[in-house]
Amino acid sequence: MAQEVIKIRGGQTLKGRVDINGAKNSAVAIIPATIMAEAPVTLEGLPKISDVETLVSLLEDLNIKTELNGTTLSVDPTQIQNAPLPNNKVESLRASYYMMGALLGRFKKCVIGLPGGCPLGPRPIDQHIKGFKALGATIDESSLTSMKIEADRLVGANIYLDIVSVGATINIMLAATRAEGQTIIENAAKEPEVVDVANFLNSLGAKISGAGTSTIKILGVPHLHGSRHSIIPDRIEAGTYMCIAAACGEEVMIDNIIPKHMEPLTVKLKELGVKIETGDDYVIVKSSQPYQSVDIKTLVYPGFATDLQQPITPLLFLANGPSFVTETIYLERFKHVKELQKMNGLITADRGTATIKPSQLTGAEVYASDLRAGACLIVAGLFANDVTTIYNVTHIYRGYTDIVKTLKNLGADIWTEQIEA
Ligand code: EPU
């Protein structure tokens, strides 16, 4: 069977403008959230990625009428049927777990396959379950492949999350929107995507306040109407292009972003010595090597995003001394390390910290183990000597709209090839 690979001949200087797409991690929550509306919904600014297509197809499995036209999705949930969803689509992406909160809120019942997603080590959903139970649901986990969640009534509750979790915060918010009375989520995640989902639900008539802080209040409502909503720009896609520009950009404008969301990365890149000019809705990034070595620790928002830990790592080979990257969210998010070693990168990882020493990278055959590892290999390949071939690129297409075309437009020597697997 043929598979696509991405090939990059490193060393080109990049110049031009990149328009950032809608946020993947907002879109993958808001598409399931449309289930909760009792009238048609239009979403604008969706990224053109395979995770969006998979979720749209899951909506269709529930007899929801959908029309995906470029970056706009029309959803008509008026004929929705609460069918079981224990299929391979659910298992193919993590965000399918938002179907749980949305279906529980709408129907007080759902049967759904267990969520999959990138292999980043253990990714439990105990906090989601804790929240659903606090709202009055019972969970049947007797099947090895699916879960049944149901409630006679959903009643608002005070829920303190043991771990700050984006997924649990959003999932509980979804179900609580249709619970009786008030729910308070304490120690909630503050990520911009949580705020975007709350804004979307409020546009349907929900009563959610405090999103973006650690205390979110949700006053349940009996009905939700339709609406039109625009997805926020993808701070991780934008951050990846900022890292690319820092590696080999003469001058790259990264447009249609919310600069405030970029601050944890912008500050770190400036510490390295990257030149960054910030406008109202753009940044202009210029490479200015050699860089200073820096230490990075991933944290929940507004700390340094775990999703940018892998894309920024190749820049540290361009620094004047050793740098340390500590991962606190997903301790096993280091599968890129072995691949960077194949490219002659002096990098090791031990107990949640990677050590990166100045290195001249050389093209090699490398494997994208997960989405952001794939982004990391693209950053590395763009400034490595010779040709880098990246396998398993479907991971990359799950999260980056037209990345090969975008980089070509900036002047990169990058192309795809079909090879026999
Ligand atoms: N956790 C638990 N129990 C839970 C939920 C989470 O122990 O019930 C732990 C996780 O194992 C992890 C930490 O809490 O160690 C944070 O997990 P979180 O729930 O915040 O992550 P998520 O919702 O599963 C989303 C993004 C990830 C991103 C993280 C952190 C989506 C679909 N995924 O995952 O995005 O890394 O938040 O910001 O929104 C990516 O885009 O590449 C990606 C993996």
Side-chain angles (χ1 to χ4, degrees):
M1 210 174 67
Q3 67 157 309
E4 186 159 308
V5 295
I6 294 178
K7 292 201 170 195
I8 307 170
R9 187 181 304 279
Q12 310 301 315
T13 304
L14 308 187
K15 196 170 184 333
R17 205 190 92 182
V18 180
D19 244 322
I20 294 306
N21 299 280
K24 161 184 161 290
N25 288 345
S26 259
V28 298
I30 290 177
I31 294 169
T34 60
I35 288 175
M36 305 195 57
E38 288 158 55
V41 170
T42 303
L43 300 179
E44 289 166 346
L46 288 167
K48 289 193 240 165
I49 54 174
S50 55
D51 272 9
V52 163
E53 287 164 17
T54 309
L55 285 166
V56 169
S57 135
L58 272 175
L59 292 185
E60 282 171 359
D61 291 346
L62 296 169
N63 202 38
I64 294 174
K65 283 204 196 89
T66 67
E67 202 184 314
L68 183 58
N69 209 337
T71 60
T72 302
L73 172 68
S74 308
V75 177
D76 182 350
T78 45
Q79 305 300 318
I80 187 169
Q81 282 164 13
N82 188 13
L85 290 175
N87 56 35
N88 55 5
K89 283 179 225 164
V90 168
E91 283 141 30
S92 76
L93 87 164
R94 184 91 188 140
S96 52
Y97 59 32
Y98 292 128
M99 293 286 179
M100 296 179 186
L103 287 171
L104 184 64
R106 175 95 198 245
F107 295 106
K108 315 279 173 279
K109 182 178 170 179
C110 78
V111 178
I112 184 161
L114 302 177
C118 285
L120 310 177
R123 298 179 77 180
I125 56 165
D126 55 301
Q127 298 302 304
H128 306 231
I129 301 294
K130 170 178 159 170
F132 295 149
K133 281 185 177 163
L135 296 173
T138 55
I139 323 283
D140 180 350
E141 291 179 87
S142 56
S143 156
L144 289 177
T145 53
S146 67
M147 208 185 263
K148 186 173 171 191
I149 309 175
E150 58 188 333
D152 292 335
R153 288 169 65 202
L154 289 175
V155 181
N158 284 9
I159 300 163
Y160 190 99
L161 295 180
D162 303 331
I163 293 172
V164 181
S165 157
V166 174
T169 302
I170 292 177
N171 236 340
I172 296 168
M173 216 160 66
L174 290 171
T177 290
R178 290 290 306 275
E180 297 163 35
Q182 180 174 266
T183 296
I184 300 181
I185 310 174
E186 297 276 16
N187 202 24
K190 295 185 274 205
E191 269 68 1
E193 294 74 24
V194 174
V195 180
D196 202 21
V197 177
N199 287 341
F200 170 66
L201 291 171
N202 283 342
S203 79
L204 301 178
K207 291 192 161 54
I208 302 173
S209 59
T213 75
S214 56
T215 304
I216 301 181
K217 289 188 184 162
I218 306 129
L219 190 60
V221 294
H223 296 287
L224 292 169
H225 48 72
S227 86
R228 201 176 181 91
H229 180 82
S230 249
I231 308 287
I232 58 167
D234 195 317
R235 65 196 165 98
I236 308 302
E237 185 194 25
T240 302
Y241 284 107
M242 286 174 76
C243 294
I244 287 170
C248 36
E250 182 184 323
E251 181 171 306
V252 179
M253 181 184 202
I254 293 142
D255 207 356
N256 181 35
I257 61 166
I258 299 174
K260 180 88 193 146
H261 294 171
M262 305 315 304
E263 262 174 17
L265 175 69
T266 304
V267 166
K268 205 39 87 176
L269 290 176
K270 282 186 176 168
E271 250 178 63
L272 268 161
V274 181
K275 292 212 174 81
I276 303 177
E277 183 191 321
T278 302
D280 286 347
D281 60 354
Y282 66 86
V283 286
I284 294 173
V285 181
K286 295 178 191 170
S287 175
S288 111
Q289 298 163 28
Y291 290 133
Q292 303 293 315
S293 57
V294 296
D295 295 340
I296 295 170
K297 191 177 202 173
T298 64
L299 288 170
V300 295
Y301 191 82
F304 190 92
T306 169
D307 295 343
L308 286 171
Q309 177 261 110
Q310 293 158 297
I312 200 175
T313 291
L315 288 185
L316 306 176
F317 292 122
L318 303 170
N320 59 0
S323 302
F324 300 95
V325 175
T326 301
E327 175 61 67
T328 71
I329 313 287
Y330 297 114
L331 299 185
E332 293 175 28
R333 202 171 202 177
F334 285 111
K335 301 217 167 56
H336 55 299
V337 168
K338 197 171 102 206
E339 306 308 307
L340 291 172
Q341 286 168 347
K342 291 182 193 163
M343 299 176 76
N344 289 340
L346 297 173
I347 178 167
T348 52
D350 186 31
R351 280 170 293 168
T353 297
T355 306
I356 301 106
K357 295 186 180 150
S359 320
Q360 172 59 59
L361 298 187
T362 306
E365 297 208 334
V366 289
Y367 293 82
S369 56
D370 55 87
L371 168 59
R372 308 301 172 189
C376 160
L377 296 174
I378 288 185
V379 179
L382 285 168
F383 69 88
N385 287 335
D386 303 330
V387 175
T388 297
T389 304
I390 307 176
Y391 291 80
N392 284 0
V393 294
T394 47
H395 280 301
I396 300 174
Y397 300 155
R398 285 190 43 212
Y400 290 92
T401 305
D402 291 336
I403 188 162
V404 172
K405 192 168 138 206
T406 306
L407 288 170
K408 239 186 226 165
N409 287 343
L410 289 177
D413 195 358
I414 183 170
W415 67 99
T416 57
E417 274 179 20
Q418 304 296 323
I419 56 153
E420 282 310 313

